[in-house]
Amino acid sequence: DLRSEGVRDVEGFRQSFEDRLLSETDVTIDRVRDAMPTDAADATDFVGDTLRTLRTDLTAAVDEREETVASERRETLADARGAVDQAVEAVDDIALHLSLARFALEYDCTRPVFVTGEDAAVSVVNARNLTLVARDGESVQPVTYGLGEHGITSVPNGVNAVPGEQRVAVLTGANSGGKTTLLETLCQIVLLATMGLPVPADRAEVTPVDSLVFHRRHASFNAGVLES
């Protein structure tokens, strides 16, 4: 490039090369001149040797600076270790509670009520399937359902009656009528509550369980599970 600009003599080439390096990089004029060779055979050797020496010198300077800064900071960090650990723990706690709050707001969740003692129940009012909510948003139809000795005494508009208190239920209905979705929703409620998380329902009562079994056998030929 320098040759194409009409630089021909040695001193002009050297000066133009200095100017180019200073304009294109942050190196100083002293560092550039210290890197220039005195025994270069031609312009190509002169440029190549200069750049290689510059790169080596700068890399060494970076390493030295890193070690100096690290050495200076080690003692400072050691003295502040207690405060740093406390800050990390506080940030972790804040991040956890913030994530729970954002999750609860995003899916309109509430804190579940745990039913203990002789009573046992799984009941939900306007529960929403998280998978469907994440995919379809507001078009999800909420579910009000109950098993066991629950505390649902009133139901939302559009629900025919208060759920019964039977401990065992047989769920039937037409294909694509929502049977599996209802079971998935109840499983999500129980799992989230067991994990200590808010649940996507206006109200939910859950009895802590040792295990939760959800078995699905995939249908074939587009037939429903009962038919197949």
Side-chain angles (χ1 to χ4, degrees):
D1 289 343
L2 293 177
R3 285 174 178 153
S4 66
E5 294 172 4
V7 178
R8 293 290 180 267
D9 62 283
V10 174
E11 186 57 34
F13 185 89
R14 178 190 179 99
Q15 184 62 49
S16 297
F17 183 55
E18 286 182 1
D19 294 341
R20 177 65 62 87
L21 282 177
L22 294 176
S23 65
E24 297 291 335
T25 70
D26 292 330
V27 294
T28 62
I29 183 63
D30 291 336
R31 188 181 291 276
V32 172
R33 289 176 177 174
D34 289 342
M36 288 181 173
T38 59
D39 57 350
D42 54 24
T44 301
D45 286 344
F46 178 78
V47 171
D49 289 348
T50 301
L51 294 180
R52 280 191 294 271
T53 303
L54 267 178
R55 182 180 181 87
T56 301
D57 292 347
L58 290 173
T59 301
V62 169
D63 293 341
E64 182 180 356
R65 178 60 179 164
E66 286 181 349
E67 180 58 32
T68 301
V69 172
S71 178
E72 294 173 350
R73 296 292 182 266
R74 284 192 191 101
E75 185 176 350
T76 303
L77 289 175
D79 294 339
R81 173 53 56 192
V84 171
D85 290 342
Q86 186 177 7
V88 171
E89 183 177 354
V91 170
D92 285 343
D93 290 341
I94 293 171
L96 172 62
H97 292 296
L98 178 62
S99 297
L100 289 176
R102 293 180 64 183
F103 171 74
L105 291 173
E106 177 70 19
Y107 295 103
D108 197 17
C109 297
T110 57
R111 186 188 300 272
V113 175
F114 289 99
V115 180
T116 58
E118 297 297 327
D119 297 335
V122 176
S123 64
V124 294
V125 176
N126 278 341
R128 296 164 295 278
N129 186 289
L130 282 178
T131 307
L132 296 181
V133 171
R135 185 179 65 195
D136 299 330
E138 297 298 327
S139 63
V140 174
Q141 180 179 354
V143 172
T144 297
Y145 197 82
L147 284 172
E149 301 177 10
H150 57 75
I152 300 179
T153 58
S154 61
V155 293
N157 294 333
V159 179
N160 295 331
V162 173
E165 296 188 346
Q166 294 82 6
R167 292 172 57 86
V168 177
V170 175
L171 184 61
T172 65
N175 291 341
S176 300
K179 300 183 297 296
T180 303
T181 301
L182 169 60
L183 295 177
E184 288 179 344
T185 303
L186 294 178
C187 285
Q188 291 177 0
I189 296 292
V190 174
L191 287 174
L192 289 171
T194 303
M195 295 169 64
L197 299 175
V199 298
D202 291 351
R203 177 179 175 182
E205 297 179 2
V206 175
T207 297
V209 295
D210 296 325
S211 62
L212 180 67
V213 179
F214 179 77
H215 174 68
R216 166 189 279 179
R217 185 162 68 89
H218 291 284
S220 59
F221 302 107
N222 294 324
V225 174
L226 293 177
E227 290 178 349
S228 63

